[in-house]
Amino acid sequence: MQLNYPYIFAAILIMALVTYLPRMLPLVLFRKKIQNTFIRSFLGYVPYAVLAAMTFPAILSSTSLIISAVAGLIVALILSYFGKGLLTVALSATAAVWIVEQFIRLI
Amino acid sequence: MNQNLSVGPALSFRKGLRDGIPICLGYISVSFAFGMMAVESGLPVWVAVLISMTNVTSSGQVAGTTLMMAGGSLLEIGITTFVINIRYMLMSLSLSQKLDSRMSLFFRLTLSHGNTDEIFAVAMQQRGKIPAPYLGGLILLPYIGWALGTFLGAAMTEILSVSLRSALGIAIYGMFLAIIIPPSRKSRPILITVLLAAFISCAFSYLPVLNRLSGGWVIIICAVLAAGFAAWKFPMKDPEEETVCS
């Protein structure tokens, strides 16, 4: 595949900057807490909203078959509901997808 | 050192290194999935590692890389990544109250690069003010793990069979679920945020007209609407405890 390196480096530089600046600026400039409850709460909820939006519905098209993706999703939901760690949940979902896909290949 | 405040072991570089080991192990596995995803989408191994070393953030760099490989505009990539990362402002703000006030500008500039969700969570649990050696030690191994995991994931993708690669495609989403489900169980506002964001995201994916909008803007709209609604209906009382993502 032909890659457009100037574009890729520009994109990576921009990504790095907008990741670094929110981390660096408060640590260097501000010593006071945000007083506005709405802004504070909004920033607090953002990670959950982002991760949920990134997961759904993308997870359903993350494997070669939608059925195997659904199996993986169910396994991941159950295990994370019971508080299993990131690695356990990820590998179990992967195993579920693999098993379902092998099974479908047989029939 | 703040002798007057420290009750537990001193916050030394060594203690930082030790506290960083579990984070490092977790990062190797998460960044492994990122490395695979990056190579699958057509990037060379070294570019995947470069992204990890310059970004050091899971959701932000996954979204940014996805958009980049889909040929999104630089503005879209920048705004999306920024929106995903604005939570770090809040974390760095909280962390700034906890740092040893004598920490130099140099350390503030460099160590802030490693202020991830997990580093923040562990640092905020310590007693007393945090000195630069501890924070540096805490960040060092997870940072190396983040780069190493990316390299391993990216380099091993070509060795893995097609069926295994298909199965591993779900891994990163499994991790995202493991981050958002446990707090959703404990906190109703977080559950509502998650459900609302997932619902809006699905609507933008499946409904006609709406599905023409590209992924980055969808994430921004979901984040602003769902987090905005939650912040309006359920203002957080203690931001330091509730913003910790995982």
Side-chain angles (χ1 to χ4, degrees):
Chain A
M1 193 201 284
Q2 192 63 41
L3 291 172
N4 178 357
Y5 276 106
Y7 164 75
I8 285 178
F9 289 133
I12 294 175
L13 181 69
I14 289 170
M15 283 159 61
L17 274 179
V18 298
T19 311
Y20 178 62
L21 291 178
R23 283 171 168 165
M24 181 273 284
L25 289 176
L27 227 50
V28 172
L29 298 179
F30 303 107
R31 305 290 163 100
K32 281 188 282 181
K33 272 185 187 169
I34 295 176
Q35 293 302 322
N36 185 306
T37 311
F38 179 80
I39 295 174
R40 229 170 45 190
S41 308
F42 175 78
L43 292 175
Y45 288 121
V46 158
Y48 303 104
V50 165
L51 289 178
M54 283 180 68
T55 306
F56 298 101
I59 190 170
L60 295 176
S61 51
S62 66
T63 67
S64 49
L65 292 169
I66 193 163
I67 306 165
S68 63
V70 169
L73 169 62
I74 292 169
V75 167
L77 281 176
I78 292 171
L79 290 179
S80 47
Y81 183 82
F82 289 106
K84 301 293 176 197
L86 305 192
L87 191 58
T88 313
V89 174
L91 291 183
S92 305
T94 304
V97 169
W98 192 80
I99 290 166
V100 168
E101 289 187 0
Q102 297 307 306
F103 186 71
I104 287 171
R105 198 158 300 160
L106 284 177
I107 53 176
Chain B
M1 294 285 147
N2 291 284
Q3 301 268 332
N4 52 329
L5 280 170
S6 59
V7 182
L11 293 175
S12 62
F13 181 74
R14 275 180 71 94
K15 176 163 163 52
L17 281 182
R18 212 172 44 234
D19 290 351
I21 292 171
I23 306 178
C24 172
L25 294 177
Y27 277 8
I28 289 175
S29 52
V30 178
S31 61
F32 189 94
F34 170 75
M36 274 184 21
M37 184 221 105
V39 168
E40 289 271 278
S41 70
L43 284 174
V45 176
W46 68 273
V47 174
V49 176
L50 179 71
I51 294 174
S52 278
M53 295 190 75
T54 54
N55 282 256
V56 214
T57 175
S58 57
S59 43
Q61 72 185 54
V62 170
T65 306
T66 307
L67 285 174
M68 183 174 85
M69 296 315 285
S73 72
L74 293 177
L75 180 71
E76 181 187 358
I77 293 170
I79 292 180
T80 307
T81 318
F82 178 72
V83 167
I84 294 173
N85 290 328
I86 50 177
R87 68 179 189 279
Y88 290 126
M89 276 186 164
L90 190 70
M91 294 186 195
S92 279
L93 259 177
S94 303
L95 191 63
S96 73
Q97 330 272 310
K98 196 133 167 79
L99 291 184
D100 187 339
S101 56
R102 288 166 300 174
M103 190 183 285
S104 68
L105 183 64
F106 172 77
F107 281 123
R108 285 172 189 265
L109 286 171
T110 48
L111 295 180
S112 56
H113 183 52
N115 184 21
T116 64
D117 304 66
E118 291 77 11
I119 299 288
F120 170 76
V122 172
M124 295 303 287
Q125 284 165 9
Q126 305 307 316
R127 288 184 178 207
K129 295 283 183 183
I130 296 168
Y134 175 78
L135 192 57
L138 183 63
I139 288 170
L140 186 62
L141 292 179
Y143 184 72
I144 293 170
W146 190 249
L148 182 68
T150 306
F151 172 76
L152 292 175
M156 282 171 72
T157 300
E158 284 156 31
I159 308 169
L160 299 172
S161 69
V162 177
S163 65
L164 208 53
R165 263 173 12 204
S166 165
L168 279 165
I170 206 169
I172 205 154
Y173 298 106
M175 288 163 198
F176 289 165
L177 287 171
I179 293 174
I180 59 178
I181 300 295
S184 302
R185 213 185 141 181
K186 288 188 205 119
S187 156
R188 198 174 164 75
I190 292 176
L191 176 66
I192 290 168
T193 309
V194 164
L195 291 177
L196 197 57
F199 176 78
I200 299 168
S201 175
C202 288
F204 272 99
S205 180
Y206 296 127
L207 295 182
V209 185
L210 287 184
N211 64 13
R212 288 190 209 155
L213 202 63
S214 71
W217 299 113
V218 172
I219 291 174
I220 294 171
I221 292 169
C222 292
V224 169
L225 289 181
F229 176 81
W232 171 51
K233 284 287 183 191
F234 318 101
M236 283 185 181
K237 287 177 199 91
D238 188 356
E240 285 184 13
E241 277 170 21
E242 290 186 75
T243 50
V244 179
C245 192
S246 57

